[in-house]
Amino acid sequence: MSVKRISQFFSPRSVAVIGASNNPGRAGYIVMRNLLQGGFKGPIMPVSPKHDAVHGVLAYPSIEHLPHVPSLAVICTNKATLNTVIRELGHLGCQHAIIIAAGLNTQQKISLKHIAKSANVTLLGSNCLGLLIPHLGLNASFSHTVAQSGRLAFVSQSAAVCSTILDWARNKRIGFSYFVSVGDCIDIDFDELLDFLGRDPKTKAILLYIDNIEDVRRFISAARAAAFSKPVIVIKTGRTQAGAEAAFIHTGGSTSDDAVYDAMFQRAGMLRVNDLRELFAATQTLALHPKLLQIEQLTILTNGGGPAIMAVDTLLQHSGKLTQLSQQTRDALNKVIPQSDMTSNPVDIFGDSAPQRYQKALDILLKAPEVKNLLIIHTPSALAPSEDYAEIIATTLDKIHKMARPYVITNFMGEEAAYEARYVCAEHAIPTYRTPEGAVGAFMHLVSYRRNQKHLTQTPESTSDDDQIDSQAAKLQVEHFISQGFSHLSTHLASQILSHYGVHCIETLIALTPSEAKEQAQALGFPIALKLISASIPSKSEVGGVVLNLNDAHEVEQTAFAMLLRIKETYPHAEIEGFSLQKMAPRAGVQELRIAVKTEQNFGPVILLGEAGTGLEFSQAAVALPPLNMNLAKYLIAAAHDKGVLKVRTLPDKVDKYRLCALLTRVSQLVVDQPDIHSIELNPILASSGQFLVLDADITLQPYQPKLGKKRLAIRPYPKELVTQITLTNNTHAILRPIKPEDERTHQEFDQSLTKEDRYKRFFGELPQFNHEQLAKMTQIDYDREMAFIVSQPYKSTYRTLGVSRVLMDPDNHNAEFSVIVRSDCQGLGLGRVLMQAVIKHCQSIGVEMVVGITLPENIGMIELSKKLGFTVTRDFSEGTVDMRLEISKL
């Protein structure tokens, strides 16, 4: 994650074109033409041993003959020359290069990346269209058209999609801050670009076209940080297995099931669209929309009933909502619509409406306080051209400040009759769509994004399940099984691990032979479920390896013999471990669930939830990434309902839902704590009256082998290893630990406890107390990017926060900025030192080079403490602040 090198890459002062050409059929010809026509102010230096000049610009025979070191090199030569060219650029001192060439195999990419790293050259590509930065006049690409300047950033692995988007955007008058074709992502990847674009003030929204993601953890971390500040829209190819294989061939990398990508995008707060049509709609919506939706309700103004009905159907089918118009608004509309005295939403002004009636109705709706989002539909009219109605809309909206008016989108139906009207809308930055369904779909993109953002900042419920978890005992049990050579654990063994996480399995007895099964059945009681134990058979029920409701001992014995005979025929080489026996559990009024954990190559463990069945595929379940808290578990259950894999009757009351969420969080914690668990299958789970009983459990063990630069989990879990007990100077005990999302309420109370003076020292001014969104960002942190330590102490029936220290690492992990604040009525207890030392120790552990902080001169306590801890303290008289710096590498 290096924002610094990306920043330098995206601010070139000069460009060299390696392989520049006068042949119109060469990439070097088109790149030179685009650079010269784009208006770039810096030197453009073609390198070509064949030509004295390219496009009339003096050419240089080789890289070493360049008059000075270029900021950026665009390499247009074939792939056979790339290694040599990169070495020569590195020797010259050029640190940034774009590779246009395609067709590199995996080994060639690895070799090129190694050479570029040794030469200190950052690469964009290979197999890419290039880079466009409109505000610099830079078109370092072989695109067929130019990009207008705007506030959207577009990043794509597909060069063909880049060309399509550019062509479409030019027609729609949509501009870009940056337009980046990353191709094979040999070096620069999505995570670095998201870090840069998420902080870039010229970029208001980010659009991504993705084939594959190699480093999922870094991508999620960067995407979540970017999505907190601006919309991030993504289209991901490979929804089907065939599509995923095609994407692999196109850009390499590895593939995972599409449902897992869905879970990742939602977890990061991004918005996923399904195809290019939706991407175009989302692009237009974001480009022309200055703010997020305040509410989700939509008002529709139309001169045709049929199109309005289409819009309503589409809205409601996508879980949208119609605005309830106030009586005052309806009365005003009734006065201008003579055909009706019962106006409602949609507001139909009828096909015979003259422009004046349109104008009056529009004025009323724009002034109505309940109207925050307005779709205007117009069908061709003989009374006036569509262009006239578009002019009315544009003129009316121009009189209202953008931040004060509702969000307006338009749909001008037809083709030839609507063309000029759409042009008027584009000229006035009003989103316009060809169909009612397209307009509503674009609006729902904003609704979905708003909902995703709410998910990011919702405070999870606390759960008191910690007393049901004994991770150390479970770890010892896992290690014991591995030492004994077990790789597959069925219910009787799996239950020994699951019980340490409050996951209860039905009593299970084991028999090695049919006669022993007969004896065990008599001891257990009837009716009995008899199941074959064999790791060699994936689905035992399909081959008669599961028989239910056996009512006497002789029947159990005979059934066991019959099982062995069937298995010998169907699976002659299967290794049979024996039989398990369980007393039949009552199932009347019981819902049967299944929870599973699978390990995906790129994502690590993923959690699946669905209804009980013979198998658990991604298509049959809702998917989530661990770790889960109560809120995330709630979203997983909702996703299962929406997908149709969990029926509504599953959750008859609130207690059941809460306890199911708690069960999911315990399964998640098991996955997080025990890296040697490769997969889990709990199927079926009987759910009744808030209780959950597992009838069948399977756990696969595989000793975890860490890989260099590869994390096991896609999202870093809560770092509970940093939790410690401390003693304050008044001899009271407290807990020093990282902050977590559930701390929001106590953090709010902590904020309210601070005096005005303490708040002034910390925030350099008189700030109002923090609202929910601000508190959510403080408590729901990405532990890979920042850390916040709190000192917590029991208080009455709960806990209270005594002090907080924060440290935010830059994406390059070189510098980290810290802050510390202690509860006003708890100062003098040594909390500042404890919190500061925790920050320093954490920065040491992750390789941060420098810790820096700023305070006011009157904050004497902070200044003196920092000196005692080894900080260099200097006074900045021009800013009226005190700078504190500690070189961690010298400690």
Side-chain angles (χ1 to χ4, degrees), residues 255-331:
T255 60
S256 291
D257 193 276
D258 192 68
V260 185
Y261 278 101
D262 260 340
M264 177 190 70
F265 294 139
Q266 185 173 18
R267 185 71 173 268
M270 307 165 76
L271 173 63
R272 184 179 188 177
V273 294
N274 296 315
D275 49 42
L276 281 177
R277 179 186 60 80
E278 285 192 13
L279 185 65
F280 291 156
T283 302
Q284 184 178 182
T285 304
L286 291 169
L288 303 177
H289 185 47
K291 58 183 179 179
L292 291 181
L293 298 181
Q294 297 176 20
I295 61 173
E296 297 181 3
Q297 287 77 13
L298 180 65
T299 306
I300 300 172
L301 173 64
T302 181
N303 70 336
I309 294 170
M310 295 178 195
V312 171
D313 285 344
T314 304
L315 182 72
L316 299 183
Q317 287 167 1
H318 289 80
S319 302
K321 303 172 185 177
L322 282 169
T323 307
Q324 293 293 322
L325 296 179
S326 68
Q327 187 62 51
Q328 181 180 359
T329 302
R330 286 188 286 134
D331 289 343

Side-chain angles (χ1 to χ4, degrees), residues 243 336 381 456 752 797:
V336 301
S381 169
L456 275 181
Q752 292 169 349
S797 60

Side-chain angles (χ1 to χ4, degrees), residues 421-489:
R422 294 184 192 133
Y423 180 82
V424 170
C425 288
E427 285 292 299
H428 287 81
I430 303 168
T432 186
Y433 304 90
R434 291 178 178 271
T435 65
E437 297 91 340
V440 172
F443 171 73
M444 289 306 298
H445 290 146
L446 291 175
V447 172
S448 297
Y449 176 71
R450 181 178 186 268
R451 291 173 181 175
N452 284 353
Q453 289 298 298
K454 288 178 67 177
H455 290 174
L456 275 181
T457 58
Q458 281 189 344
T459 308
E461 297 177 76
S462 296
T463 175
S464 56
D465 282 354
D466 289 350
D467 59 343
Q468 298 190 44
I469 295 177
D470 188 342
S471 59
Q472 189 57 36
K475 181 178 177 62
L476 293 174
Q477 192 71 62
V478 169
E479 291 173 348
H480 169 73
F481 284 135
I482 291 175
S483 69
Q484 296 298 308
F486 288 96
S487 59
H488 175 266
L489 309 178

Side-chain angles (χ1 to χ4, degrees), residues 6 9 49 63 97 105 218 237 259 272 277 310 334 389 404 439 499 546 577 649 710 714 742 782 791 839:
I6 296 294
F9 201 109
I63 291 172
N105 61 35
R218 288 175 62 173
T237 57
R272 184 179 188 177
R277 179 186 60 80
M310 295 178 195
N334 288 335
Y389 292 92
S499 63
V546 178
E577 301 169 36
R649 63 188 176 90
K710 186 84 170 179
E742 291 84 351
D782 179 352
V791 174
V839 162

Side-chain angles (χ1 to χ4, degrees), residues 559-570:
T559 301
F561 273 120
M563 274 187 189
L564 292 177
L565 291 174
R566 282 195 302 272
I567 298 305
K568 189 173 182 180
E569 292 178 2
T570 53

Side-chain angles (χ1 to χ4, degrees), residues 499-512:
S499 63
H500 294 302
Y501 284 82
V503 181
H504 303 296
C505 297
I506 194 170
E507 182 183 3
T508 304
L509 299 182
I510 304 303
L512 300 179

